[in-house]
Amino acid sequence: MINISKLYCDELTPGDWLRYGKYSTEQKTRAVPKKAAERRPVVVWNITRRCNLNCIHCYNNSQNIPAADELTTEEAKEVLQDLSGFDVPVVLLSGGEPLLREDIFDLLAFAGKLGMRTVLSTNGTLITKDIAKKIKKHAVSYVGISLDGIGEVNDKFRGQKGAFEIALRGIKNCRHQDIRTGLRLTLTKSNFHELDKFFNLFDKLNIERACFYHLVPSGRAGDIQNERLTHSQTREAVDLILQKTRRFKEAGKTTDILTVDNHVDGIYLYRKLLSDDSGPELKRQAEKVCKLLTWNGGGLYSSGVGIGCIDFYGNVHPDQFWWHYTFGNVRKRPFSQIWTDPDEPLLKGLRNRGKYIKGRCRLCRYFPGCGGSLRVRADLYFCDPWAPEPECYLTDEEIGL
């Protein structure tokens, strides 16, 4: 993740302790990691395949039927027990739609007793007033609700007419319970021109957090390559996100705005701060940004290091998009043992990826702050996890070639 509010506007944001090794409002009693390479992983756990929507860009091909061999309640509790003992900073419960799992609140209650920080990733359409009360009761620290445009654009992507309005109701129910709530949007050709409207909605709902995901061609998303932004469109989208974040800052609004799945955004932001028309204050901010990006390392310490995934079968993956490669299964070995296996080939490679990454990424002057970005995207496009990042939108001249 690239925290635009932190890097571009010098905001104090909740994830700073984990993302940049700095004090943050979310840190509390947790120790700030000395190095990004030493972080325990944020675990994305797809606890069910079942989903009430049929999104055309679903990265794991979720359907409105449960997987035949999903983990039982007791098995899931054993996983939570192990993750707690392994001291993971966050467990993000996703799906499918996690609220369709009948034991979801039993699992949240168990995680709460273990003192774990939990996050829900949901489409929002099932969050009634009663469900929002239960989410609040179980101390879920954050609810991320996915939208993919305004009105009909969202409904087209979600495969259900009226999904936008129902999700809005869910967002409002969460806000009424004072649950920390954020919006999520995957950037595509169908919605990037609606970013102004999306930010207006963000402001109207008085929401603090928004995540803008770059498309990863995993699952059904691999079938919509016509929705990929061109490099110039990506620049246009990131420019607007930067502008809006700056305007919110100038208006005195606290924000936590991030882009996800393309660490190139951090370098693009850094170059913006260093541009010829930037004043001394922005250039000083650029110096801070360079240090923060280098500490974080971008892709160097992401998949297989700072983030991992458990799917609804119990298989462990480097991240939530890398389902075509499995490290092991939690029914056979605990996640903590799988994750620390020194002999797993891809895991070993990801933790030393600087030695293996090829082409323009390896030669880029900004490699220490970008780290070759998202390795799974390179693997999906080129069948090679060490190939250059295909969605790098910086020119050869800009990266020093």
Side-chain angles (χ1 to χ4, degrees):
M1 287 185 167
I2 301 297
N3 192 307
I4 305 298
S5 297
K6 173 68 176 178
L7 300 177
Y8 202 58
C9 299
D10 204 22
E11 288 270 14
L12 181 66
T13 57
D16 292 349
W17 73 277
L18 186 62
R19 199 168 292 119
Y20 303 115
K22 300 291 184 181
Y23 170 79
S24 74
T25 56
E26 195 177 66
Q27 177 192 355
K28 298 183 180 178
T29 60
R30 298 194 71 98
V32 174
K34 294 180 181 179
K35 298 179 181 179
E38 297 175 357
R39 293 178 298 190
R40 293 299 195 199
V42 171
V43 176
V44 178
W45 188 359
N46 302 92
I47 58 173
T48 182
R49 182 178 67 177
R50 192 179 172 199
C51 188
N52 58 317
L53 300 183
N54 187 32
C55 303
I56 64 174
H57 59 328
C58 179
Y59 65 80
N60 60 32
N61 292 304
S62 289
Q63 304 173 44
N64 199 8
I65 52 174
D69 196 24
E70 292 183 359
L71 298 179
T72 66
T73 301
E74 289 308 310
E75 287 173 328
K77 287 182 177 180
E78 288 178 10
V79 173
L80 287 171
Q81 187 85 51
D82 176 60
L83 295 178
S84 175
F86 196 48
D87 199 29
V88 301
V90 183
V91 178
L92 188 154
L93 300 177
S94 185
E97 170 50 55
L99 291 173
L100 281 173
R101 183 157 169 144
E102 293 181 0
D103 60 358
I104 181 64
F105 291 109
D106 189 16
L107 296 179
L108 287 171
F110 187 75
K113 290 179 181 177
L114 295 171
M116 303 182 75
R117 180 170 177 259
T118 53
V119 168
L120 274 181
S121 177
T122 170
N123 61 45
T125 61
L126 302 179
I127 304 179
T128 61
K129 291 180 180 179
D130 287 341
I131 292 295
K133 289 178 182 177
K134 288 183 179 180
I135 293 172
K136 179 69 174 181
K137 177 184 175 181
H138 289 84
V140 173
S141 61
Y142 169 70
V143 175
I145 296 178
S146 298
L147 296 174
D148 286 291
I150 303 299
E152 291 183 2
V153 173
N154 176 80
D155 294 355
K156 175 186 174 183
F157 268 81
R158 296 278 155 183
Q160 180 175 309
K161 188 175 182 180
F164 177 77
E165 292 298 331
I166 301 171
L168 277 188
R169 183 183 64 192
I171 293 166
K172 292 174 182 177
N173 288 337
C174 284
R175 297 295 296 147
H176 184 71
Q177 291 297 321
D178 198 28
I179 298 166
R180 185 167 175 249
T181 309
L183 302 183
R184 298 177 172 190
L185 179 141
T186 299
L187 295 165
T188 63
K189 284 186 176 179
S190 293
N191 65 26
F192 89 101
H193 62 280
E194 290 197 323
L195 283 176
D196 261 322
K197 294 179 182 178
F198 188 84
F199 272 105
N200 289 340
L201 177 67
F202 173 83
D203 194 27
K204 180 181 177 181
L205 294 173
N206 196 29
I207 286 177
E208 176 183 318
R209 195 172 199 260
C211 296
F212 297 91
Y213 286 74
H214 292 267
L215 187 67
V216 181
S218 175
R220 291 199 290 270
D223 298 327
I224 56 166
Q225 292 302 294
N226 59 312
E227 287 289 346
R228 287 176 60 192
L229 296 185
T230 64
H231 289 177
S232 63
Q233 288 171 334
T234 299
R235 284 177 177 257
E236 184 180 340
V238 174
D239 279 341
L240 192 143
I241 293 167
L242 295 176
Q243 292 166 11
K244 292 291 186 180
T245 307
R246 174 77 69 194
R247 288 176 189 171
F248 282 134
K249 172 73 172 181
E250 292 169 348
K253 181 179 175 70
T254 300
T255 62
D256 189 15
I257 295 174
L258 307 101
T259 62
V260 190
D261 300 331
N262 196 341
H263 296 91
V264 178
D265 294 344
I267 305 305
Y268 185 72
L269 178 157
Y270 169 69
R271 288 179 55 83
K272 281 280 186 183
L273 291 171
L274 280 179
S275 62
D276 293 338
D277 57 351
S278 294
E281 184 178 346
L282 292 184
K283 285 186 166 59
R284 284 193 293 272
Q285 179 62 18
E287 292 178 12
K288 294 181 184 178
V289 167
C290 183
K291 292 177 181 177
L292 295 173
L293 290 176
T294 303
W295 187 92
N296 178 278
L300 284 172
Y301 310 119
S302 57
S303 308
V305 182
I307 189 166
C309 173
I310 305 172
D311 68 24
F312 27 72
Y313 302 109
N315 295 318
V316 177
H317 309 283
D319 62 38
Q320 67 269 40
F321 304 108
W322 217 319
W323 284 37
H324 56 283
Y325 191 97
T326 299
F327 295 144
N329 189 286
V330 296
R331 283 188 167 117
K332 297 179 180 179
R333 282 194 300 165
F335 178 92
S336 56
Q337 290 183 18
I338 294 171
W339 200 253
T340 53
D341 185 343
D343 299 318
E344 210 300 318
L346 180 58
L347 198 53
K348 184 189 294 186
L350 289 171
R351 291 174 184 176
N352 297 278
R353 69 189 78 186
K355 298 178 180 179
Y356 304 109
I357 293 175
K358 307 169 184 176
R360 69 194 304 268
C361 282
R362 187 179 186 86
L363 299 171
C364 174
R365 70 172 75 171
Y366 301 115
F367 185 77
C370 176
S373 196
L374 197 66
R375 294 293 88 211
V376 68
R377 187 186 284 117
D379 199 24
L380 288 166
Y381 279 117
F382 303 120
C383 297
D384 182 356
W386 317 123
E389 166 60 69
E391 294 300 341
C392 176
Y393 49 91
L394 299 178
T395 65
D396 286 351
E397 181 181 8
E398 287 171 329
I399 67 172
L401 296 183

